Amino acid sequence: MNVLYVFSVMFLMISFILYKKTDKKLCLWSSIIYSIGLLFCYNTLIVYLLHVISVSGSLLLYSIINCFVGIVMLLINKFKYREFQKFSYDKRKLMVILCLGIVVFLIGYFKLRGIDTISFESPDSAVHYRHALEFSENLSLLDKENSKDIIFNDFNRIQPISYINCGFLFNVFSSVKSYKVFLYYNVGYLVLGALVFLITVFDLIVKNQNK
């Protein structure tokens, strides 16, 4: 089931990347990074929608939804635009992205003093870990009915985007200890945020120069 879910996520992301958004060529590397960020939002939206209609989540159900959405995007693209999005392959931008990604990853890695021990300055991370672990068990939006958390249970104030995506990773990497997945997720989230900021600023600078 994990393999099917991973395949559906890859198919969904490829469908979005290929979906034609403009007649201009887009940078492939930027599109990939934006797609990962969009995937975080998409996962949260789907979990919310299933919660609204009172449907329990499962990896199989999410896999089917991912494939369905990906097919719909490809069909719309085929009949509306009749061609895929065109891309540019800026090698210099790729090198900058890779270098920044490695630097930020190392900063996060050493900030946590490696991945074998949990070392956060704030105890708030324990709450996020517990919520992600609970979500991974039922794959449904946490509320007072399906959560065992009786201390930090004000779910109307909790932003679920983090524990939802981390919970999915707990399922995908079920053979790895969950606390290690949690640590890698937090470092990866830091890297993703830095890269999204970098390419957004870079694209705005290039856009202003071309005016």
Side-chain angles (χ1 to χ4, degrees):
M1 198 62 67
N2 293 355
V3 175
L4 176 61
Y5 178 74
V6 172
F7 169 80
S8 70
V9 170
M10 293 178 62
F11 175 70
L12 177 68
M13 290 186 60
I14 292 174
S15 299
F16 173 75
I17 292 173
L18 294 179
Y19 186 86
K20 187 173 181 180
K21 308 164 193 68
T22 177
D23 292 329
K24 299 179 180 179
K25 287 186 177 181
L26 298 178
C27 177
L28 178 61
W29 327 124
S30 298
S31 297
I32 293 175
I33 294 173
Y34 281 135
S35 297
I36 297 174
L38 183 63
L39 177 65
F40 279 53
C41 303
Y42 164 85
N43 285 336
T44 307
L45 175 62
I46 296 300
V47 172
Y48 256 110
L49 292 177
L50 292 182
H51 179 74
V52 170
I53 60 177
S54 300
V55 175
S56 299
S58 67
L59 282 186
L60 177 60
L61 178 59
Y62 290 119
S63 300
I64 294 173
I65 293 174
N66 291 344
C67 290
F68 174 77
V69 174
I71 291 173
V72 169
M73 283 195 293
L74 291 178
L75 289 176
I76 293 176
N77 189 82
K78 177 180 179 180
F79 292 106
K80 185 176 181 180
Y81 301 109
R82 300 185 183 279
E83 62 177 355
F84 292 126
Q85 177 65 50
K86 296 180 180 179
F87 298 100
S88 60
Y89 309 92
D90 192 332
K91 294 182 180 179
R92 292 178 299 176
K93 191 172 184 179
L94 175 61
M95 293 302 300
V96 172
I97 290 175
L98 290 177
C99 289
L100 178 65
I102 293 173
V103 169
V104 176
F105 176 84
L106 291 176
I107 291 174
Y109 181 87
F110 289 114
K111 183 68 175 178
L112 295 175
R113 301 173 189 172
I115 302 299
D116 292 326
T117 58
I118 299 178
S119 178
F120 286 92
E121 295 180 359
S122 171
D124 185 57
S125 58
V127 180
H128 293 293
Y129 172 75
R130 185 165 61 249
H131 287 162
L133 198 60
E134 284 196 35
F135 174 80
S136 68
E137 295 174 356
N138 52 46
L139 295 176
S140 297
L141 191 72
L142 296 180
D143 55 26
K144 294 182 179 180
E145 283 69 34
N146 65 4
S147 174
K148 295 175 288 188
D149 195 335
I150 60 175
I151 300 176
F152 303 97
N153 62 354
D154 189 2
F155 292 103
N156 292 326
R157 298 172 54 191
I158 293 176
Q159 298 178 358
I161 187 171
S162 181
Y163 77 69
I164 286 176
N165 288 282
C166 188
F168 278 124
L169 289 181
F170 283 170
N171 278 272
V172 172
F173 299 102
S174 57
S175 60
V176 181
K177 292 182 178 179
S178 59
Y179 79 89
K180 289 189 176 183
V181 177
F182 180 74
L183 293 175
Y184 275 116
Y185 169 80
N186 279 273
V187 175
Y189 198 84
L190 177 65
V191 173
L192 178 63
L195 292 180
V196 169
F197 177 79
L198 170 71
I199 61 177
T200 300
V201 172
F202 184 86
D203 290 343
L204 287 175
I205 293 175
V206 172
K207 183 178 180 180
N208 290 331
Q209 288 178 345
N210 293 334
K211 284 184 177 180

